[in-house]
Amino acid sequence: MQPARCIASIGVVAVFALQLTTPALASAGCSPAVGARSFATASQLRALNATVAGFGVRATGSPAHNRLISWLERRVDRLPGVSVRSEPFAIERWRPGPGLLFSGGVVPVAGAIPYSDPGLRSGELVRLPAGTPITAANAAGRIVLRDFPALDRGYLAEPLLDRDMVDAGRAGAAGVVVAFPFPHEQVKGYWDPHLGTHYRVPGVFVGSDAAAKLVPGTRTTIGVLAARAPAVTRSLVATLPGLSSERIVLDTNTDGVGWVQENGTVALLALAEHFARQPLRCRPRTLEFVFATGHLHRPAEGSEFRARALDAEYDSGSVAFAFVLEHLGTREFLPRDGSLQPTGLAEPSGWFAGSPVLARTAATALAGRSVERTFVLPGSDPPVPGRVPAQCSFGGIGTHFHSHLVPAMAMISGPWTLWAPSFGAAAVDHDHMRRQVLAAGDAITALAPLPREQIAGPYLDLRRARAAGAPTCPHDLPPEWAPRS
């Protein structure tokens, strides 16, 4: 408590600050849920998704990515009451170009492995089975042929693909060819790993039909026609004031490929437009919409840098919680008879929530909108006793906020179509997407007037434990350059 001798002026300042940061209850007449009739329709969400996908491959810092960011900036800047600012990041950009492969003739290439080394190299083609490390003894001067890892979903292969590319560079290999068990047309433009680490060897993906033409022992030439150059990319931070300056932070990334990665931009636009139409008295807290860069160039992961900033200021009372939206409305495609085929179901999605109040609110919102196959979860990694938090991962960029002990929720799926842009609009069910986004809006509306401590729940104790020296999650970002040796 303040000493009795505090002068009156300090008391006035304290009361004024409390009014700025303490959320007010929404006024009578404010709806407890998002009005579905006035919210963006499924066809409107589809049109927005088509616009985003229409920019093409939004490689971080590329002209297509910059055009998308500028379009998003204009879109949110014209909303009533919204102010927009940028957070710039310097990167060594990788601009994708075609991949080439000659092995007893021209072999169709589905795409260059992202951030692989530009140029042409030749060597003997050698097949190394899964589990066989790539070393100088078996790969120096050769082109390594690998099968795409046999996993439940394609995104799970990223650490294995990254390790192979790094190991091939260290081993002095001439290049890497990764063969999918799916046809060329389905994996055209496949984009993973998305670490943004520049590799030391060229690498390409081929479909199963092209892979059948490859004969180990054949003299083979591999090429990647890409370009590297210094560039600046930026995140957008759009702020919509509420009755309190304490913020609810909504986040997604802007760089991506196709209709799935990243259609969270569509969700944030729809939510920003909805909340901007509400009268100030119906916004108990300020809303911050973060359109982050760097998810396809993770040394400049904008969501991580935003999470670091929120972590640093959280204890001052300026942040309520963060909510990340990614890969929404996705349809399930599974391998069958040598290709990826639709099951007719929604891809399973996680709605991760780090406190009991956040989890209950998520469950209520999903039930209220009849959102199928979206499950409320505490994390996607095995818990580690004694660590704060015990589970670090929210499956995607929500991890950055949760692992920094900022109260967080995240909605995400990981379909086979995530990094395979060839599926186009067929990858997304926009009716399902709309139900998910409406549920997200309902959760934000329900949480907006709740006390900060109630929303945070265990996060407050976790932050105190971290301050006392308890182990916590790693926050290292990938290196911009793979090691040479």
Side-chain angles (χ1 to χ4, degrees):
M1 296 180 64
Q2 295 288 342
R5 63 177 180 270
C6 281
I7 59 175
S9 61
I10 294 179
V12 170
V13 171
V15 170
F16 179 69
L18 188 64
Q19 290 173 339
L20 284 177
T21 59
T22 302
L25 293 176
S27 302
C30 297
S31 174
V34 173
R37 289 186 178 181
S38 62
F39 197 75
T41 64
S43 61
Q44 288 170 331
L45 293 177
R46 189 189 189 283
L48 285 172
N49 206 161
T51 299
V52 171
F55 285 98
V57 176
R58 286 88 65 199
T60 313
S62 67
H65 185 218
N66 292 337
R67 287 193 294 270
L68 171 63
I69 293 170
S70 295
W71 176 79
L72 289 168
E73 185 173 37
R74 292 191 299 271
R75 185 100 188 189
V76 294
D77 190 49
R78 72 189 188 197
L79 295 176
V82 174
S83 61
V84 188
R85 62 182 177 85
S86 293
E87 294 183 345
F89 301 90
I91 63 170
E92 183 73 13
R93 181 177 65 191
W94 187 85
R95 288 188 62 180
L100 305 172
L101 196 62
F102 303 93
S103 188
V106 177
V107 178
V109 169
I113 294 176
Y115 286 82
S116 57
D117 195 31
L120 287 169
R121 300 189 195 177
S122 297
E124 176 191 356
L125 185 69
V126 58
R127 178 185 288 276
L128 295 182
T132 302
I134 297 174
T135 66
N138 61 24
R142 297 169 174 164
I143 295 173
V144 175
L145 175 61
R146 284 283 214 197
D147 290 328
F148 190 87
L151 295 164
D152 181 63
R153 293 293 192 278
Y155 75 92
L156 297 170
E158 182 183 61
L160 300 176
L161 296 173
D162 172 65
R163 186 178 67 196
D164 278 355
M165 291 297 291
V166 171
D167 288 350
R170 284 174 163 161
V176 175
V177 179
V178 175
F180 276 93
F182 313 126
H184 173 87
E185 288 302 318
Q186 288 196 328
V187 294
K188 281 174 61 177
Y190 198 88
W191 188 288
D192 208 31
H194 65 289
L195 298 176
T197 296
H198 291 277
Y199 297 115
R200 305 293 181 173
V201 293
V204 298
F205 292 118
V206 296
S208 54
D209 35 0
K213 301 178 181 180
L214 296 174
V215 179
T218 304
R219 181 74 175 176
T220 297
T221 298
I222 189 172
V224 170
L225 303 183
R228 292 168 170 156
V232 175
T233 185
R234 62 191 176 114
S235 295
L236 298 177
V237 181
T239 303
L240 177 63
L243 294 174
S244 162
S245 62
E246 185 177 291
R247 288 162 295 154
I248 296 169
V249 179
L250 309 182
D251 178 272
T252 195
N253 63 282
T254 55
D255 36 0
V257 296
W259 285 67
V260 175
Q261 173 62 262
E262 184 44 68
N263 66 17
T265 52
V266 173
L268 259 64
L269 282 177
L271 290 167
E273 290 172 359
H274 163 75
F275 285 112
R277 288 194 301 267
Q278 305 305 303
L280 178 62
R281 60 185 174 80
C282 294
R283 296 196 301 269
R285 284 183 167 99
T286 293
L287 292 166
E288 180 177 285
F289 301 88
V290 180
F291 297 87
T293 191
H295 192 52
L296 271 61
H297 190 107
R298 298 197 57 228
E301 178 76 73
S303 296
E304 168 64 19
F305 288 101
R306 197 77 205 106
R308 291 177 186 180
L310 297 181
D311 184 2
E313 63 180 281
Y314 180 81
D315 292 334
S316 71
S318 62
V319 181
F321 67 93
F323 192 179
V324 173
L325 297 168
E326 301 179 83
H327 321 158
L328 302 173
T330 49
R331 291 187 166 107
E332 184 180 61
F333 286 76
L334 293 179
R336 189 170 75 244
D337 300 328
S339 68
L340 290 167
Q341 300 186 26
T343 66
L345 300 173
E347 176 72 17
S349 297
W351 186 329
F352 295 94
S355 80
V357 165
L358 294 175
R360 286 195 299 269
T361 303
T364 299
L366 289 171
R369 297 295 179 177
S370 300
V371 182
E372 69 274 17
R373 306 195 89 193
T374 299
F375 307 97
V376 180
L377 301 167
S380 63
D381 55 335
V384 175
R387 186 176 64 189
V388 293
Q391 290 177 276
C392 291
S393 178
F394 271 12
I397 56 179
T399 300
H400 299 291
F401 300 91
H402 173 64
S403 66
H404 274 286
L405 301 180
V406 175
M409 300 191 297
M411 192 187 299
I412 186 172
S413 68
W416 272 106
T417 57
L418 175 60
W419 299 113
S422 62
F423 288 86
V428 182
D429 177 346
H430 289 89
D431 288 307
H432 179 53
M433 179 183 190
R434 184 172 188 262
R435 290 191 293 273
Q436 288 180 317
V437 181
L438 282 168
D442 290 346
I444 294 163
T445 302
L447 291 165
L450 295 187
R452 177 173 172 274
E453 293 75 13
Q454 188 177 343
I455 293 171
Y459 280 102
L460 300 179
D461 286 337
L462 294 175
R463 293 181 69 86
R464 284 189 283 267
R466 183 183 64 179
T472 189
C473 305
H475 299 113
D476 295 333
L477 291 170
E480 190 148 43
W481 293 92
R484 290 187 182 275
S485 59

